[in-house]
Amino acid sequence: EVQLLESGGGLVQPGGSLRLSCAASGFTFSSYAMSWVRQAPGKGLEWVSNINAGGVTTYYADSVKGRFTISRDNSKNTLYLQMNSLRAEDTAVYYCANRDNSGWLDYWGQGTLVTVST
Amino acid sequence: EIVLTQSPATLSLSPGERATLSCRASQSVSNYLAWYQQKPGQAPRLLIYDASNRATGIPARFSGSGSGTDFTLTISSLEPEDFAVYYCQQRRNWPLTFGGGTKVEIK
């Protein structure tokens, strides 16, 4: 059974940093691209970032480019999102999701809440 | 950036009725479009990919159609568990983008 378990969310002040983790199991993690998607309270879905299976190629939404860094450790089956210079508008539930062989967001974690506030 | 516009924002229907949801892209996405269902407090679930293919385990009452810029998700006969928010998403170009969502609510 595929499982994705996010952790690392919490309350942080504006300008602060946070690192999210996503522990994967039930599939060959190193064979699949992964994405982070976020959802602000009461709002829709926003794709944040993507990393290819080998961890070499990354993409970012303009809203987080230069502030967030996606990475992965295939030996630990774990995906990361380093978030720096956090802003109030980054407040959201952050989901990790794997991209299937066709590129679709096939399996999703349960999400971790990040709140940026004083 | 490809903008996806979903309509209507809210659809009020009764169980057993047919639901028709629309997603329009600001430029052609070919058939690189998916639909997701999200229930309150849950992660999204992939329903339809490549515009018209049902994901694993998705009931036959869900169907997708369209190509280019205009797409439709149809739920042939609403079951109580189908009342949720539905999002379309394209992967034709980076960045990946989602539509704003259509909430299907009980009338």
Side-chain angles (χ1 to χ4, degrees):
Chain A
E1 178 192 5
V2 172
Q3 289 196 347
L4 297 169
L5 186 63
E6 301 96 336
S7 61
L11 175 64
V12 61
Q13 292 188 342
S17 298
L18 215 53
R19 187 175 87 154
L20 306 183
S21 299
C22 171
S25 61
F27 66 104
T28 305
F29 180 73
S30 59
S31 296
Y32 293 91
M34 298 290 295
S35 273
W36 288 97
V37 176
R38 68 184 181 182
Q39 187 168 37
K43 302 297 184 182
L45 301 171
E46 179 188 17
W47 171 80
V48 172
S49 183
N50 185 88
I51 188 167
N52 73 336
V56 175
T57 304
T58 58
Y59 295 95
Y60 297 92
D62 284 347
S63 57
V64 306
K65 201 173 295 183
R67 300 186 299 121
F68 290 12
T69 302
I70 191 172
S71 63
R72 64 192 296 162
D73 185 337
N74 286 343
S75 69
K76 295 182 178 179
N77 290 347
T78 303
L79 174 73
Y80 302 101
L81 186 67
Q82 178 67 43
M83 304 186 295
N84 298 331
S85 303
L86 283 161
R87 306 166 180 167
E89 55 265 35
D90 296 318
T91 294
V93 173
Y94 285 73
Y95 296 100
C96 66
N98 88 310
R99 298 189 69 207
D100 65 15
N101 289 327
S102 296
W104 298 111
L105 299 167
D106 196 5
Y107 291 98
W108 297 61
Q110 86 294 341
T112 187
L113 176 62
V114 172
T115 303
V116 184
S117 175
T118 56
Chain B
E1 171 176 321
I2 296 176
V3 177
L4 299 179
T5 302
Q6 291 188 241
S7 61
T10 304
L11 201 50
S12 298
L13 295 169
S14 300
E17 290 192 295
R18 181 184 189 91
T20 303
L21 288 67
S22 174
C23 176
R24 177 164 290 177
S26 60
Q27 65 188 80
S28 176
V29 299
S30 184
N31 69 331
Y32 296 123
L33 190 107
W35 292 91
Y36 298 83
Q37 177 193 67
Q38 187 179 33
K39 297 178 181 179
Q42 296 186 16
R45 176 175 70 148
L46 179 65
L47 293 178
I48 301 288
Y49 65 93
D50 293 346
S52 61
N53 296 305
R54 277 189 302 277
T56 303
I58 301 304
R61 64 181 181 271
F62 291 92
S63 64
S65 64
S67 67
T69 60
D70 290 296
F71 299 87
T72 300
L73 173 69
T74 301
I75 310 171
S76 60
S77 179
L78 283 163
E79 297 288 339
E81 62 267 28
D82 299 336
F83 292 91
V85 180
Y86 294 84
Y87 295 94
C88 57
Q89 179 240 322
Q90 65 81 25
R91 66 170 188 86
R92 178 65 181 84
N93 287 344
W94 298 101
L96 305 183
T97 51
F98 289 90
T102 290
K103 181 180 182 180
V104 179
E105 65 176 23
I106 300 176
K107 187 173 181 181

